[in-house]
Amino acid sequence: VQLQASGGGLVQAGGSLRLSCAASGRTLGIYAVGWFRRAPGKERELVADIAWSGRSPYHVDFVKGRFTISRDIATNTVYLQMNSLKPEDTAVYYCAAKRRSPGKYDVWGQGTQVTVSS
């Protein structure tokens, strides 16, 4: 499985971005996909994840009501729609895949930078 993340950029506070995570290769082996972020000086943290079936989307508390994770079955792409962005959302965002449950996220895409200016 390979993951390709895209969609980051520079946006003003209150703005929106949509991140994409395109999966290729042995995608039938994916159990779930998550979006993580690492801000400068901080540890990587989970932002949202979703089962590969598209069910059971989960969002951490600090993004609930602002971010939405979804999956396009036709294109094997997982999206993270980010609205009402705040400067504290500035980070490198990564998508990752988990291939079993229980299990770890063990397939990672490259990061995409999101910068929110105040």
Side-chain angles (χ1 to χ4, degrees), residues 87-104:
E88 51 263 44
D89 294 318
T90 295
V92 178
Y93 284 72
Y94 301 86
C95 62
K98 180 190 297 188
R99 291 179 286 180
R100 63 180 65 86
S101 179
K104 297 180 179 180

Side-chain angles (χ1 to χ4, degrees), residues 43-62:
E43 294 190 353
R44 186 177 62 203
E45 59 185 356
L46 176 68
V47 174
D49 66 12
I50 190 167
W52 190 238
S53 65
R55 298 174 182 168
S56 305
Y58 168 78
H59 304 82
V60 299
D61 286 346
F62 56 77

Side-chain angles (χ1 to χ4, degrees), residues 24-39:
S24 60
R26 303 183 69 174
T27 59
L28 288 179
I30 297 175
Y31 177 79
V33 172
W35 280 101
F36 295 76
R37 71 186 187 187
R38 187 193 298 268

Side-chain angles (χ1 to χ4, degrees), residues 77-91:
T77 302
V78 174
Y79 297 102
L80 185 69
Q81 178 67 44
M82 306 187 296
N83 300 327
S84 302
L85 282 161
K86 305 175 182 180
E88 51 263 44
D89 294 318
T90 295

